[in-house]
Amino acid sequence: CRAGRGPVNMGRGDAGAGCREARFAWIWTAVYFAVVLLGMWRHEMWRDEYQAWLFARDSASVRDLFANLRYEGHPPLWHLMLYGVTRFTVNPAAMQVVHLVLATIAAWLVLRHAPFSRLFRAAFCFGYFAVYEYAVISRNYSLGLLAALLFIIRYRDGGRLGVGMGLILAGLALSNPFAALMSLALCIFVAVDRLLMPEAPAGRWNRGVVSTLGLGLAGVGLALWMIVPPADGGFMNFAARPRGFQMAPLRLAFSYVLTSHIPIPQAGIVGWNTNWFSDWGENALAIGGVLIVMVSVLVLLRNLRALAIYLIATGGYLAYFYLTAMSSHYLRYAGHLFLVLVISLWFSRTLKPGWTFRWTKGRGGALGALERAFIGMLLAAQVFGGAVAYARDWRHPFTNSAAAAAFIAQSGLDHIPLVGTRDYVIQPLSAMFNRPIFYPERGGFGSFVVWDLIRLNPVTPQMIVDPCFGLRRESEEQVLVVLSSGLTKSVDGQEIPVREEPVGEGYILRFLATFSETSICGDAAYHVYLLERANAARPPAPEGSR
């Protein structure tokens, strides 16, 4: 162990303290690794997780990958990493391994380098975002968290800016859309910070600063180019943007502050992206968010450089939430608001204040007490929310796709042609069976969802059945049909479920099973049918339909 490697604000320069801090970091990193590994083992991967894997698996080249991503609304770094992995394996579990490594490195950086107490560091790592949303669930958000941590660890007074820091900012921007906003905010902060430096202009804008900002902004530009969909994109609804000033989207934006800082879910299995405070109404959520912002500003007044990054980044996120007027509290998005507060508190301990308000002098003790109470409350809520989400995922299915896939495989039907709709629900089967699916809404085979206007075409029963005959001639006997909504028919004026229906040419469409157990994501049901000859031998009735 070497001296001086502990958190910077603890004043432990002796070798013994450095060893104790290193031991603490490694022990709790090992615990974190085990907790996330077990959580992943119990977690059924969701369609958004499989989407990135399918992009990587089914892109013939990097150029093809970039072309496929044009409708996705995400920058390419995570997909590029998975592209490399899929050249060696088609098992989606490899994605979880990569994600586990990224999340564990991020946890180690916090436990080893964050300038906070041991309790703060451990609580952050085992809070909702670090242990569940950005760890157990394999998405590109852990990549953004890791890049942000690398930047704030390296950005210090007297530290050199340069190509390395620029590449970190570019990597941050290319991780996910909200990390791109974070990267832009950090670029603005670096520029403002250099402008306010008590140095000559030549010292403020040296080659290292220019390299950092140039590479960072280039990454932001590429990310924005990838994020903004083409004209025929069907994912982002820009028509929903508010025209003129409106209070409703502003309340909605501030409500994200509360749901991200206090992520306590509602009771029940379908608790993902819900918040216990939602029952109090949108106004209460917004007022709570405003109070959190006000207290955050107050505790950061002792270091106006830290306050600057908080105001720049938080203001950017609030503006985005206001302009997009998103109605759902997706915690993976809102979590970046909480991350901004952590980054700002980190900077408040590693950067010199520069200058401060006169009235704050002599009030450091009161502001410190307020900060400890405020952060303690938020961390307690984060740990509680993470524990609830983790336990819920352990006990209940996140989605029904794994159960449907297991049934299909056990029935020996995983090798025959598959017709499925709606595409975004059935898509995980393509990843699990490593083969394409015929999507009626597109009129052809595919795997990942292309979020364009074509897929919005309504799907009729005839559009599902007709392609089966062409596919059946290739396989000679059977076609598997998996639907997100069960088929019905009208009998004596009543709609009843289809159980066995003639479809022509001596074939029938036979119902096999439904998997619709209440799941955490709350929106995935799988209805399994088989197109076969009417006189085909029938296996025993399936068990375990849910």
Side-chain angles (χ1 to χ4, degrees), residues 465 469 472 501-509 531-534:
V465 173
F469 291 102
R472 176 262 307 168
E501 188 73 12
V503 291
E505 299 186 24
Y507 277 78
I508 61 171
L509 186 66
L531 183 98
E532 61 179 359
R533 292 190 181 276

Side-chain angles (χ1 to χ4, degrees), residues 45-58 86 89-95 401 405 414 418 423 425-437 439 446-449 526:
M45 281 195 284
W46 187 50
R47 60 177 181 256
D48 280 13
E49 297 173 80
Y50 283 125
Q51 175 82 338
W53 178 259
L54 291 172
F55 271 117
R57 189 196 71 184
D58 295 339
T86 56
T89 178
V90 294
N91 188 345
M95 175 173 61
S401 60
D414 53 322
L418 170 58
D423 52 3
V425 176
I426 309 304
Q427 160 252 68
L429 299 180
S430 177
M432 288 185 272
F433 295 146
N434 189 33
R435 60 192 181 91
I437 298 172
Y439 293 127
S447 57
F448 51 81
V449 177
Y526 294 81

Side-chain angles (χ1 to χ4, degrees), residues 229 233-243 320 323-326 453:
F235 184 73
M236 299 180 70
N237 182 14
F238 289 103
R241 290 180 298 177
R243 298 294 186 266
Y320 173 83
L323 292 173
T324 56
M326 291 188 298
L453 296 178

Side-chain angles (χ1 to χ4, degrees), residues 75 77 105 109 140 142-156 160-176 178-187 190 208-209 211-220 223 343 347:
L77 186 56
I105 294 173
L109 290 175
N140 49 14
S142 66
L143 193 58
L145 173 61
L146 177 59
L149 291 172
L150 289 173
F151 180 85
I152 59 179
I153 287 171
R154 295 192 58 178
Y155 191 85
R156 298 175 180 273
R160 295 185 60 185
L161 298 177
V163 173
M165 293 289 278
L167 290 175
I168 291 174
L169 285 175
L172 176 62
L174 296 173
S175 299
N176 63 76
F178 295 89
L181 286 175
M182 177 75 73
S183 181
L184 178 60
L186 289 173
C187 286
V190 171
V209 177
S211 299
T212 297
L213 293 178
L215 288 170
L217 292 174
V220 171
I343 290 173
F347 275 152

Side-chain angles (χ1 to χ4, degrees), residues 341-361:
L341 176 59
V342 174
I343 290 173
S344 303
L345 291 170
W346 192 314
F347 275 152
S348 73
R349 287 156 171 77
T350 57
L351 301 180
K352 296 177 181 178
W355 57 281
T356 186
F357 292 112
R358 182 179 302 175
W359 68 270
T360 61
K361 296 180 180 179

Side-chain angles (χ1 to χ4, degrees), residues 478-546:
Q478 299 174 317
V479 176
L480 186 67
V481 178
V482 184
L483 309 176
S484 59
S485 299
L487 292 174
T488 62
K489 61 180 179 179
S490 180
V491 177
D492 297 330
Q494 294 184 341
E495 292 294 320
I496 64 172
V498 169
R499 288 296 178 260
E500 192 171 289
E501 188 73 12
V503 291
E505 299 186 24
Y507 277 78
I508 61 171
L509 186 66
R510 184 159 62 89
F511 168 78
L512 297 183
T514 290
F515 298 87
S516 57
E517 181 179 350
T518 302
S519 60
I520 292 173
C521 73
D523 62 352
Y526 294 81
H527 305 268
V528 184
Y529 300 83
L530 185 65
L531 183 98
E532 61 179 359
R533 292 190 181 276
N535 59 355
R538 300 179 183 180
E543 298 180 359
S545 297
R546 298 185 294 175

